[in-house]
């Protein structure tokens, strides 16, 4: 349970326990290796997330009608990718009992006859194992660990450095399911985002911006916190080979929703130049945010930022918002509720009903019947 202390809006203090993303739990075959400690001493892991795509898949993707409005990615029961696997596992686990006699020893235990293992079997098993080397963790070094596997580039793998469990104020350093959902939609609608200029709010580890960078011309990936932004910048560098074919560019920048202005201090490491702000306002046509609606005050701050930025854009803009509904039992209601989602929907309705004489916001859901391109569990609550 999280709570924003009642202080000035520009100086929030969170009180929370440890928050854990379970994305990694659903990718048991992927490699998770602790590579370093970040500047605040948190263990940083490197994970490989496989893209389930091919050139043929992208070429044959069906196009949906383009709608230039604000949208919300709504819920659906997915998990088609798991159905075939489940059936295969079931078939493999089925035993044909006809003509099979259980062999028991003197104590009544089942005797299992095993084929003797040859030397070639043992060698083959050894080849499947990852080579484990000792690693000396260094604090605050972005390039403290780089093995040969990291150096190799692969067109179907996204490499992301992230943390596993953090306090609430550092949840941006973890990987969340709604980011994968939004990334799936970007891959499915690549032509829609081709040559676009895009702004991501609350980019976190940068995985959604990285996927967007494979299609868009320029992506401004924004968040707050120098340590988080350094991690995001590292991830962009790790995956630059994915953006190179299309010439996409990702710029990691600071954007604090609790402040009314862009950070333009030249001494700040992730500040904006006047040219970059002008470029954003003149060319941005897509804004996106994934899994950032977990605290009511921050939700309000995000919508204020969204309103302020869209008012300054030269062109019409489409906003894509993805989230996961997280149910909790509350003593206030003595029931299972999703208060953060309810507040998000109320605020979204207020934006749609807003009449200021200049802007009109239209909200439409996107059905989640598009292809799944990344390995994760597409649950009903997305």
């Amino acid at each position: 349970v999280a709570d924003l202390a009642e202080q000035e809006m520009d100086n929030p203090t969170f009180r929370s326990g440890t928050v854990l993303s379970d994305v990694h739990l659903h990718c048991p075959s992927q490699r998770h290796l602790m590579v370093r400690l970040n500047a605040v001493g948190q263990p940083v892991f490197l994970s490989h997330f496989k893209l389930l795509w091919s050139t043929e898949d992208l070429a044959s993707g069906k196009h949906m009608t383009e709608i230039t409005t604000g949208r919300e990615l709504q819920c659906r029961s997915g998990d088609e990718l798991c159905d075939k696997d489940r059936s295969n596992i079931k078939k493999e686990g089925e035993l044909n009992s006809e003509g099979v006699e259980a062999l028991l020893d003197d104590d009544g235990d089942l005797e299992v006859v095993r084929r003797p293992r040859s030397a070639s079997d043992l060698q083959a098993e050894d080849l499947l194992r990852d080579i484990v080397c000792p690693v000396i963790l260094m604090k605050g070094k972005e390039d403290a660990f780089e093995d040969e596997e990291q150096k190799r580039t692969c067109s179907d793998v996204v490499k992301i450095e992230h943390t596993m469990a953090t306090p609430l104020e550092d949840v941006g350093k973890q990987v969340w399911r709604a980011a994968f959902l939004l990334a799936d939609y970007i891959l499915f609608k690549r032509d829609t985002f081709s040559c676009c200029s895009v702004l991501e709010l609350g980019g976190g580890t940068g995985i959604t911006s990285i996927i967007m960078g494979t299609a868009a011309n320029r992506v401004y990936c924004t968040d707050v916190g120098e340590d988080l932004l350094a991690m995001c910048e590292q991830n962009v560098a790790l995956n630059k080979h994915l953006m190179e074919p299309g010439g996409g560019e990702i710029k990691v920048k600071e954007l604090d929703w609790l402040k009314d202005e862009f950070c333009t201090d030249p001494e700040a490491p992730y500040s904006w130049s006047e040219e970059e702000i002008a470029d954003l306002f003149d060319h941005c046509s897509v804004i996106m945010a994934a899994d950032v609606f977990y605290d009511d005050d921050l939700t309000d701050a995000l919508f204020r930022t969204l309103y302020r930025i869209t008012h300054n854009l030269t062109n019409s803009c489409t906003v894509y918002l993805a989230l996961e509904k997280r149910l909790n039992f509350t003593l206030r209601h003595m029931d299972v509720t999703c208060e953060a989602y309810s507040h998000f929907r109320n605020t979204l309705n207020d934006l749609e009903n807003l009449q200021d004489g200049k802007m009109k916001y239209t909200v439409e859901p996107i059905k989640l019947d598009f292809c799944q391109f990344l390995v994760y569990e597409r649950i009903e609550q997305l």
Side-chain angles (χ1 to χ4, degrees), residues 188-206:
F188 180 70
K189 298 281 285 183
R190 283 172 60 87
D191 291 347
T192 300
F193 303 108
S194 177
C195 301
C196 286
S197 184
V198 181
L199 169 68
E200 181 174 13
L201 301 174
T205 61

Side-chain angles (χ1 to χ4, degrees), residues 109-148:
D109 298 323
L110 179 65
E111 279 190 346
V112 179
V113 179
R114 293 183 174 87
R115 178 176 60 86
R117 303 180 68 185
S118 64
S120 60
D121 292 335
L122 297 175
Q123 292 173 357
E125 181 179 292
D126 289 339
L127 290 175
L128 295 175
R129 295 176 179 173
D130 288 336
I131 298 175
V132 179
C133 302
V135 176
I136 299 175
L137 295 179
M138 300 180 68
K139 191 171 182 178
K141 296 290 186 180
E142 300 303 321
D143 56 352
F145 178 83
E146 185 178 32
D147 62 8
E148 290 302 319

Side-chain angles (χ1 to χ4, degrees), residues 108-324:
D109 298 323
L110 179 65
E111 279 190 346
V112 179
V113 179
R114 293 183 174 87
R115 178 176 60 86
R117 303 180 68 185
S118 64
S120 60
D121 292 335
L122 297 175
Q123 292 173 357
E125 181 179 292
D126 289 339
L127 290 175
L128 295 175
R129 295 176 179 173
D130 288 336
I131 298 175
V132 179
C133 302
V135 176
I136 299 175
L137 295 179
M138 300 180 68
K139 191 171 182 178
K141 296 290 186 180
E142 300 303 321
D143 56 352
F145 178 83
E146 185 178 32
D147 62 8
E148 290 302 319
E149 186 172 349
Q150 275 183 266
K151 293 177 183 177
R152 291 199 299 268
T153 58
C154 187
S155 61
D156 64 350
V157 170
V158 182
K159 293 176 286 187
I160 296 294
E161 288 193 0
H162 61 98
T163 57
M164 288 289 196
T166 64
L168 184 64
E169 56 265 29
D170 280 336
V171 292
K173 296 175 183 175
Q174 299 187 52
V175 183
W176 301 92
R177 265 189 292 249
F180 286 117
L181 180 70
L182 187 50
D184 272 346
Y185 185 73
I186 294 166
L187 292 170
F188 180 70
K189 298 281 285 183
R190 283 172 60 87
D191 291 347
T192 300
F193 303 108
S194 177
C195 301
C196 286
S197 184
V198 181
L199 169 68
E200 181 174 13
L201 301 174
T205 61
I207 187 169
T208 308
S209 282
I210 289 168
I211 296 299
M212 179 63 84
T214 66
N217 181 44
R218 177 171 295 144
V219 181
Y220 290 98
C221 181
T222 68
D223 216 309
V224 292
E226 186 174 336
D227 195 49
L228 171 59
L229 293 171
M231 176 185 288
C232 181
E233 191 172 54
Q234 170 77 349
N235 286 331
V236 171
L238 283 173
N239 296 279
K240 61 183 179 181
H241 61 283
L242 296 176
M243 281 85 75
E244 285 173 352
E249 178 187 23
I250 299 177
K251 293 193 173 187
V252 178
K253 297 292 177 182
E254 177 184 332
L255 183 56
D256 191 341
W257 310 336
L258 301 175
K259 297 180 180 178
D260 293 333
E261 303 293 337
F262 289 86
C263 175
T264 56
D265 181 3
E267 300 297 323
Y270 299 98
S271 63
W272 297 72
S273 67
E274 294 297 335
E275 292 77 14
E276 288 169 336
I277 295 174
D279 174 68
L280 176 71
F281 287 153
D282 290 342
H283 300 106
C284 180
S285 59
V286 174
I287 298 176
M288 60 182 184
D291 234 329
V292 295
F293 304 102
Y294 54 87
D295 177 89
D296 291 356
D297 290 336
L298 287 182
T299 296
D300 293 341
L302 182 141
F303 275 100
R304 286 197 300 270
T305 299
L306 194 62
Y307 177 81
R308 184 176 69 253
I309 290 176
T310 52
H311 260 246
N312 286 286
L313 295 181
T314 302
N315 304 308
S316 297
C317 181
T318 305
V319 183
Y320 297 90
L321 305 176
L323 68 157
E324 179 178 340

